Amino acid sequence: AVVSTQSGHYGRGQTGIHSERIDHHEDTVLSVDFNDKEQLCISGDDVGVIAVWNPSDFTCIRKFTAGSDPINAVTFNLRKTKSIYISSGPLIYEYDLRNMDNPVASILDLHEDEVNQIATDDKGQYLISCDDEGYVCCIDVSRQPFKCVSKYQVHENICSSVQWVPGRTAEVVSGGMDCKIKHRDLYKYHPLKTITEPTVQEGIHIYNPPFVNSIATHWKSRYMTAAFNSGRVGLWRLGSRKIGYVFVRDLPEHQNGAGCATMINPNIVITGGNDSFINMSYLEVPEESRETNGTETAANHKDSVISRLFHGKKINWLSGGNFESDKQFSIFVADESQTITKYLYR
């Protein structure tokens, strides 16, 4: 069901933005994912309802209840195109899009606390997850039953976000309420690198501590973006295995906290904030830029804001990608309401 539509202009030679609001839930939507290969969306809400729908005409293909717990995370498997994964409380389920009456598989005893994020690797073989106790787990989803291949308490308390490191088998990056980003090998106890945000400023405690709310990577990019509760959005680039992620520069910040981040392609970063704004930044990397010991200077990067949209509500989740062609893309936004907003950039 389309609630409303509107259009606007956003620059960089593009014709504009077209927005539509879709209503497939009766409670607050917490998570959404868009598969641009299959041109499908999945979304989950606060009372355990999952919706699978067409992002073109907004037809609801299937709607079902996965449990009574909130659906904090949903994701597609880009290799197993008919498989979706959801987290419901401490549980993780796999569903087959061809038959969603019952889950294909479930993980019942891996996490003891609420799962905050899940993500599959680019080969579709492994799924990583993180929870409120600070654990990061890796699960082999290529065979039945699922097998846990790695489980470590990576953060001192809540681990809010976890992503794969592109091109590095068995390496992940995670962020937590301990104000740290951890880059680690799943099979090694000690992290490869720890990035720590300061919690005090000139002896005064920061009003909004820099909790790491969200981390974004893209399988075709060497960049990592992190959104902090302080409002800061940072950009890092992956160097050599010895150096790891190297800070490049800050992206446009948010007031009252940056809640989520995503990379819809290798050069576009989108962030959503508690200030109800959505920032889109384009990362221009000149061909003549060179690495020196794995680092790059900020001068080698022209970092431009494509758009800054006032969405009107605090952002819960962002997803996006190419929509129907490589000349236009969409962003799907879940906020504090029961609707999902689609922004189409032409």
Side-chain angles (χ1 to χ4, degrees):
V2 181
V3 178
S4 64
T5 64
Q6 65 181 33
S7 297
H9 181 76
Y10 72 102
R12 286 193 66 85
Q14 305 295 323
T15 59
I17 306 170
H18 180 72
S19 69
E20 296 172 294
R21 297 175 62 201
I22 306 102
D23 189 359
H24 287 313
H25 293 270
E26 297 178 1
D27 213 290
T28 302
V29 181
L30 301 179
S31 52
V32 61
D33 194 26
F34 171 55
N35 184 334
D36 58 3
K37 290 184 179 180
E38 295 293 309
Q39 292 292 301
L40 278 177
C41 279
I42 51 175
S43 51
D45 66 24
D46 200 36
V47 294
V49 175
I50 298 289
V52 182
W53 44 282
N54 186 317
S56 296
D57 60 11
F58 314 114
T59 303
C60 187
I61 299 168
R62 186 65 190 271
K63 189 175 179 179
F64 61 96
T65 300
S68 58
D69 288 315
I71 307 299
N72 283 336
V74 294
T75 191
F76 286 92
N77 187 322
L78 297 182
R79 296 291 183 179
K80 295 167 62 179
T81 57
K82 301 304 180 183
S83 294
I84 61 173
Y85 303 90
I86 68 164
S87 71
S88 174
L91 310 179
I92 299 172
Y93 298 106
E94 177 186 356
Y95 283 87
D96 189 316
L97 290 171
R98 294 164 294 191
N99 182 7
M100 290 175 277
D101 291 335
N102 294 293
V104 174
S106 58
I107 302 171
L108 304 177
D109 56 0
L110 182 61
H111 292 279
E112 295 182 6
D113 215 326
E114 196 167 87
V115 174
N116 294 312
Q117 190 165 22
I118 53 178
T120 57
D121 69 339
D122 59 359
K123 293 183 174 67
Q125 182 176 358
Y126 296 104
L127 180 141
I128 47 172
S129 56
C130 62
D131 67 20
D132 275 0
E133 290 188 321
Y135 281 92
V136 171
C137 303
C138 178
I139 307 143
D140 186 345
V141 295
S142 66
R143 53 187 174 180
Q144 303 291 343
F146 287 166
K147 179 183 177 181
C148 176
V149 297
S150 174
K151 180 179 180 180
Y152 289 110
Q153 187 171 18
V154 178
H155 294 271
E156 298 167 15
N157 43 43
I158 295 172
C159 181
S160 52
S161 186
V162 63
Q163 293 289 343
W164 292 96
V165 175
R168 302 280 180 90
T169 304
E171 289 185 22
V172 300
V173 61
S174 61
M177 299 296 106
D178 54 4
C179 306
K180 295 176 182 178
I181 298 172
K182 298 285 188 76
H183 176 193
R184 64 180 300 115
D185 187 310
L186 288 167
Y187 300 103
K188 296 180 180 179
Y189 180 76
H190 295 289
L192 302 173
K193 189 168 187 175
T194 299
I195 301 168
T196 304
E197 284 288 289
T199 55
V200 296
Q201 198 171 54
E202 297 180 355
I204 302 173
H205 284 281
I206 297 174
Y207 178 70
N208 284 336
F211 304 142
V212 185
N213 287 331
S214 181
I215 288 177
T217 60
H218 190 280
W219 66 283
K220 288 185 177 180
S221 173
R222 296 177 70 85
Y223 288 103
M224 172 187 73
T225 303
F228 296 91
N229 197 59
S230 60
R232 180 187 174 220
V233 178
L235 181 70
W236 286 260
R237 191 178 191 276
L238 187 63
S240 67
R241 291 187 181 273
K242 183 178 180 180
I243 293 172
Y245 278 104
V246 178
F247 178 70
V248 177
R249 64 181 299 164
D250 283 327
L251 300 182
E253 66 178 12
H254 291 270
Q255 300 296 320
N256 304 320
C260 51
T262 188
M263 293 183 69
I264 64 171
N265 64 39
N267 286 311
I268 295 181
V269 173
I270 302 170
T271 58
N274 298 341
D275 56 3
S276 302
F277 277 94
I278 299 170
N279 292 342
M280 181 184 299
S281 300
Y282 190 91
L283 310 178
E284 296 182 340
V285 185
E287 291 183 3
E288 62 270 18
S289 66
R290 295 287 184 269
E291 291 187 30
T292 304
N293 296 325
T295 66
E296 291 183 346
T297 64
N300 286 336
H301 293 263
K302 288 187 179 180
D303 194 53
S304 59
V305 179
I306 301 176
S307 75
R308 179 171 167 81
L309 290 172
F310 181 67
H311 178 70
K313 292 182 175 67
K314 175 187 172 184
I315 315 298
N316 283 336
W317 205 278
L318 294 167
S319 184
N322 290 338
F323 184 72
E324 296 181 344
S325 76
D326 57 3
K327 295 182 179 179
Q328 59 184 14
F329 56 87
S330 285
I331 305 170
F332 298 90
V333 183
D335 56 37
E336 295 177 300
S337 72
Q338 65 189 35
T339 66
I340 297 168
T341 305
K342 169 189 168 183
Y343 293 103
L344 177 62
Y345 290 74
R346 295 188 177 96

